[in-house]
Amino acid sequence: MKEIRGPGRRWARESLTALKTHLISNTMPTVSVDKEDLWERLEQRFSSEEFDKLCFEFGIELDEDTTEEVETAIKQGLPAGRPQLKIEIPANRYDLLCIEGIARALRVFLGKGKAPEFRLVYPAGGEKGLVEVTVAPETAQVRPYFGSAILRNVKFTQRSYESFIDLQEKLHQNICRKRQFVAIGTHDLDVITRPFRYEAKPPKDIKFAPLNKTQAYTAEELMTLYESDRHLAKYLPIIRNSPVYPVIYDKEDRVLSFPPIINSEHTKITVNTRNIFIDLTATDQTKLNVVTNIMITMFSEYCEEPFTIEPVKIIYPDGRVVISPDLSSRKTQAHASYINSCTGLSLSRPQIKDLLERMSLHVELSSGDTDTLDVTIPPTRSDILHECDIMEDAAIAYGFNNLPDVFPATSTVAQPLAVSKLSDIIRHEWAYAGWVEVLPLILCSHEENFSWLRTADDGQTAVKIANPKTLEFQVVRTSLLPGLLKTIRENRSHALPLRIFETSDVVFKDVARERQARNVRHAAAVWCNKTAGFEIVHGLLDRAMAMLEVPHIPGSGGSQAAPTRGYYLKERNDPTFFPGRAATVYYRAGPTDVSGDGKDVEIGKLGILHPSVLEKFEIGYPCSALEFSLEPFKAKMPSMWTNDDI
């Protein structure tokens, strides 16, 4: 079988039933923890195999144990650090992004301790003695939400201090989406004077010495200074175009932080810092609450009185007063019948209670109800949103490998959607005809979707990516042609003719829908040879319509005296195609169609591609293309539509 290389590392094979696809999984965060430190926290030593099994049972994964590498380096006289365990964490378990959270959760899972209870501890003056932060109205223009907390009498070691810094970075890259949603700042409370002010000012009015610098710069100068910085340059676009920049001051007008870019050198924390003031600025209130709780719950264990946090009073411009953080637990209910039905078990409520408490959840059994469990979700478990998440925790604690293997209680036969059946008919028939199916990416550049096809963007058609990572992925395609032409370009070394097709979705803006967009299933094909081959794609269209049992309406433009249902071609002027060598495909709906009103609707086009289009896609041979929509044919069709035929 011939393989065709497609753009974006997609492949297609000349096969009727199999497509080689690449499954791209979401990247899971990897946390490196000190091996001996973890054994000490767990009060138990494990072999690599034993710890790998423990991780699997808990729902995380041991990626690497560097013990052998360290020992080899020591034998060779090379510098070597302490052995590390690299552990992959589920993307929604923010409480496991540091050794403190991993050790704490595994201790509870192993029955070596209980989940800690976190407390807000007010200073001597009560609420009146709290540190205050006043939020200025101008911050609404850039980062309107603010969170804060204080960790008192912290005792860091070098490793715990490094873990504290590393957790900030992992949160920044994960839930904070590279500081776009939330930015975290940490400061030595003993070198600054309360109360604090969170303001937003013009860049030229902000001046301070940033972290690891002795010279003071304005915010404008910092934006230029950090353009070449490998670490900070990627955060500059977050606020660069804003008329005002966020900044945090103390009572003496000293800058604490310039979020989301950098902190002040004056407030820099070290391993010897005893009292830590944490500030968080955000564009999303929910993520702000999650990140605040994770930061303080993970490292409050190093306070002189473990798991205590001093809150901060935040005063918003509208007079609203918020005490941050909110460490209140969430209460919900789960049902033993639901958990048993999902897992295939027959556990009693006390048994389920024990399982859930191994996952750091607090459970009470409802009196007078033999099915309900009252579950208290700690502030560290933002991943629990529904009863199904509680059921999953119970299954993990029981052991996925211990769940019974049973057949489902009900038997169902899956049935494809009508548009999927249509797609399969087209795919099979075109493949029988010797054409090769390809699978380009659904995202493309703005130029490929519009200017390269010599069409204008009216601003009302394409769904555009707000912050594309590369120029290749700016819009969701509105035509299948760019992907097909890029595939031709990547396979110019193959023998001619090249004949490829795709049956997939394009996306259009649709403000009438809740999601503001709609998917439309299209079928398209491109023929590339030394001659244009207009008749080839015309015949391909005729074959597709024949298989869909759509008759051809004879006569140029479709005779009104013709059958009430069918298709016909009509010459068109289209800048994508060579002048005089393009046609519109019209479809006349019949009584069995969804809109059987007998009206003629445009469903597609075909023709010889314009030389300028081929030049843009770096194709040196003439090409003919066909593209039409399958949506009008979704109504119930004749006997060919039985499941056995697909």
Side-chain angles (χ1 to χ4, degrees):
M1 287 187 295
K2 180 172 65 177
E3 277 191 344
I4 286 187
R5 179 77 184 228
R9 297 185 180 178
R10 288 292 193 99
W11 295 79
R13 286 180 179 270
E14 192 175 54
S15 169
L16 299 182
T17 57
L19 294 172
K20 183 178 180 181
T21 59
H22 294 272
L23 300 179
I24 305 173
S25 60
N26 291 328
T27 302
M28 296 172 62
T30 301
V31 179
S32 293
V33 301
D34 186 280
K35 185 175 181 178
E36 292 302 320
D37 194 0
L38 183 61
W39 291 171
E40 183 179 338
R41 290 168 180 266
L42 295 179
E43 301 176 356
Q44 184 177 347
R45 302 182 69 85
F46 298 86
S47 66
S48 290
E49 293 76 15
E50 290 170 340
F51 188 68
D52 187 28
K53 181 180 179 181
L54 173 63
C55 288
F56 176 81
E57 291 174 348
F58 185 67
I60 57 181
E61 182 178 349
L62 177 62
D63 186 49
E64 184 181 359
D65 183 349
T66 66
T67 302
E68 291 186 6
E69 297 176 13
V70 171
E71 291 175 349
T72 301
I74 293 174
K75 289 178 182 179
Q76 295 175 350
L78 300 174
R82 291 162 62 94
Q84 301 287 305
L85 298 172
K86 297 182 179 180
I87 304 172
E88 285 192 355
I89 305 298
N92 63 339
R93 289 297 302 268
Y94 311 117
D95 58 313
L96 302 179
L97 288 175
C98 57
I99 188 174
E100 290 77 10
I102 294 173
R104 199 179 297 166
L106 289 179
R107 279 182 58 83
V108 177
F109 185 73
L110 292 169
K112 295 179 179 291
K114 293 185 177 181
E117 294 185 8
F118 305 98
R119 295 186 299 114
L120 294 181
V121 177
Y122 286 74
E127 186 173 328
K128 292 183 178 179
L130 292 178
V131 171
E132 292 185 358
V133 179
T134 303
V135 179
E138 293 78 15
T139 58
Q141 301 179 53
V142 55
R143 299 177 77 81
Y145 303 110
F146 190 86
S148 187
I150 295 173
L151 299 180
R152 291 281 186 183
N153 300 314
V154 175
K155 295 181 180 179
F156 277 141
T157 64
Q158 185 61 38
R159 287 198 296 275
S160 61
Y161 169 76
E162 291 172 356
S163 178
F164 182 65
I165 302 301
D166 187 56
L167 176 61
Q168 292 180 57
E169 186 59 25
K170 282 189 165 51
L171 289 171
H172 276 152
Q173 299 304 313
N174 194 330
I175 184 175
C176 300
R177 292 297 185 271
K178 299 183 179 179
R179 306 190 188 180
Q180 292 185 66
F181 293 148
V182 186
I184 310 165
T186 54
H187 313 279
D188 187 340
L189 185 61
D190 296 328
V191 300
I192 49 182
T193 308
R194 56 189 286 185
F196 306 121
R197 309 189 314 273
Y198 173 43
E199 300 181 352
K201 291 187 172 184
K204 61 183 176 59
D205 295 341
I206 301 171
K207 190 171 185 178
F208 69 104
L211 201 62
N212 301 322
K213 301 282 185 184
T214 55
Q215 179 183 344
Y217 299 87
T218 66
E220 283 181 325
E221 293 169 336
L222 286 176
M223 287 303 214
T224 304
L225 176 67
Y226 290 128
E227 279 181 344
S228 57
D229 187 282
R230 183 175 60 87
H231 176 62
L232 295 177
K234 56 190 173 185
Y235 305 125
L236 302 183
I238 299 175
I239 61 170
R240 182 159 227 162
N241 295 326
S242 174
V244 291
Y245 289 175
V247 61
I248 303 171
Y249 292 101
D250 73 350
K251 184 179 179 180
E252 306 297 330
D253 287 334
R254 292 174 294 205
V255 172
L256 279 65
S257 179
F258 172 37
I261 310 302
I262 197 165
N263 293 338
S264 166
E265 172 67 15
H266 177 72
T267 64
K268 179 179 180 179
I269 69 167
T270 67
V271 68
N272 298 315
T273 300
R274 293 282 287 166
N275 298 299
I276 300 174
F277 174 74
I278 303 174
D279 76 73
L280 302 99
T281 59
T283 58
D284 184 288
Q285 183 68 59
T286 301
K287 288 180 171 57
L288 172 66
N289 295 339
V290 172
V291 174
T292 303
N293 287 346
I294 293 299
M295 279 296 301
I296 61 177
T297 55
M298 292 301 104
F299 290 94
S300 58
E301 70 175 67
Y302 297 115
C303 294
E304 192 170 58
E305 187 178 351
F307 308 117
T308 59
I309 300 98
E310 181 179 318
V312 173
K313 181 190 292 186
I314 302 171
I315 305 171
Y316 280 94
D318 58 2
R320 181 167 49 98
V321 175
V322 174
I323 304 299
S324 174
D326 180 5
L327 290 178
S328 57
S329 299
R330 291 180 290 127
K331 296 185 181 296
T332 187
Q333 289 186 330
H335 300 85
S337 58
Y338 172 75
I339 294 173
N340 284 327
S341 66
C342 292
T343 58
L345 301 172
S346 300
L347 301 176
S348 64
R349 284 197 305 163
Q351 288 174 312
I352 295 175
K353 177 179 183 294
D354 292 340
L355 294 177
L356 293 178
E357 289 184 342
R358 287 185 64 197
M359 301 302 292
S360 302
L361 302 179
H362 179 69
V363 181
E364 294 182 358
L365 303 181
S366 299
S367 58
D369 187 337
T370 60
D371 189 40
T372 304
L373 301 98
D374 295 322
V375 183
T376 301
I377 303 168
T380 54
R381 293 299 303 275
S382 60
D383 60 297
I384 296 182
L385 305 174
H386 187 271
E387 186 177 2
C388 65
D389 299 311
I390 299 174
M391 176 274 297
E392 181 186 18
D393 270 10
I396 290 173
Y398 187 85
F400 279 159
N401 286 341
N402 300 325
L403 296 176
D405 297 327
V406 295
F407 284 102
T410 58
S411 178
T412 60
V413 178
Q415 184 174 1
L417 297 172
V419 72
S420 297
K421 285 184 173 183
L422 279 166
S423 299
D424 285 344
I425 291 174
I426 299 298
R427 291 172 57 243
H428 287 193
E429 290 305 319
W430 284 1
Y432 284 134
W435 292 64
V436 180
E437 183 172 11
V438 298
L439 291 174
L441 299 174
I442 196 169
L443 297 179
C444 63
S445 74
H446 186 275
E447 287 185 329
E448 291 166 353
N449 198 72
F450 292 105
S451 64
W452 286 16
L453 295 180
R454 306 181 77 230
T455 59
D457 179 11
D458 60 4
Q460 305 298 319
T461 304
V463 176
K464 300 176 182 178
I465 308 301
N467 295 295
K469 191 169 185 178
T470 69
L471 294 178
E472 292 181 278
F473 308 123
Q474 293 176 305
V475 300
V476 186
R477 64 185 179 184
T478 58
S479 168
L480 299 181
L481 291 183
L484 292 174
L485 293 175
K486 286 195 289 184
T487 304
I488 294 284
R489 180 188 66 198
E490 299 299 322
N491 292 275
R492 289 170 295 186
S493 60
H494 282 233
L496 296 176
L498 290 175
R499 43 191 177 184
I500 61 173
F501 75 92
E502 182 184 7
T503 306
S504 191
D505 282 349
V506 296
V507 178
F508 297 99
K509 278 187 180 179
D510 191 342
V511 295
R513 301 194 179 210
E514 181 182 4
R515 59 182 180 273
Q516 303 288 297
R518 73 178 190 278
N519 285 27
V520 179
R521 185 64 55 87
H522 276 201
V526 173
W527 166 278
C528 179
N529 201 0
K530 294 180 180 179
T531 57
F534 178 87
E535 70 282 1
I536 303 295
V537 295
H538 193 324
L540 196 66
L541 172 67
D542 291 342
R543 178 59 180 166
M545 293 299 176
M547 294 311 301
L548 296 176
E549 298 188 2
V550 178
H552 178 257
I553 299 176
S556 176
S559 171
Q560 290 299 324
T564 57
R565 179 173 178 270
Y567 77 100
Y568 63 91
L569 303 182
K570 189 175 182 179
E571 185 178 351
R572 71 182 285 154
N573 291 319
D574 190 311
T576 303
F577 298 97
F578 199 86
R581 296 293 185 271
T584 302
V585 183
Y586 285 96
Y587 176 67
R588 183 174 299 166
T592 61
D593 290 286
V594 175
S595 58
D597 52 10
K599 293 183 179 179
D600 296 356
V601 294
E602 179 182 334
I603 63 168
K605 57 188 178 181
L606 74 160
I608 301 172
L609 291 173
H610 196 282
S612 296
V613 174
L614 300 178
E615 181 182 7
K616 289 292 186 182
F617 286 95
E618 302 175 24
I619 300 173
Y621 295 97
C623 295
S624 289
L626 159 70
E627 181 170 6
F628 66 97
S629 171
L630 296 178
E631 298 294 327
F633 310 113
K634 290 195 299 185
K636 186 177 180 181
M637 299 293 282
S639 59
M640 61 183 293
W641 283 89
T642 62
N643 284 329
D644 293 339
D645 294 328
I646 301 299

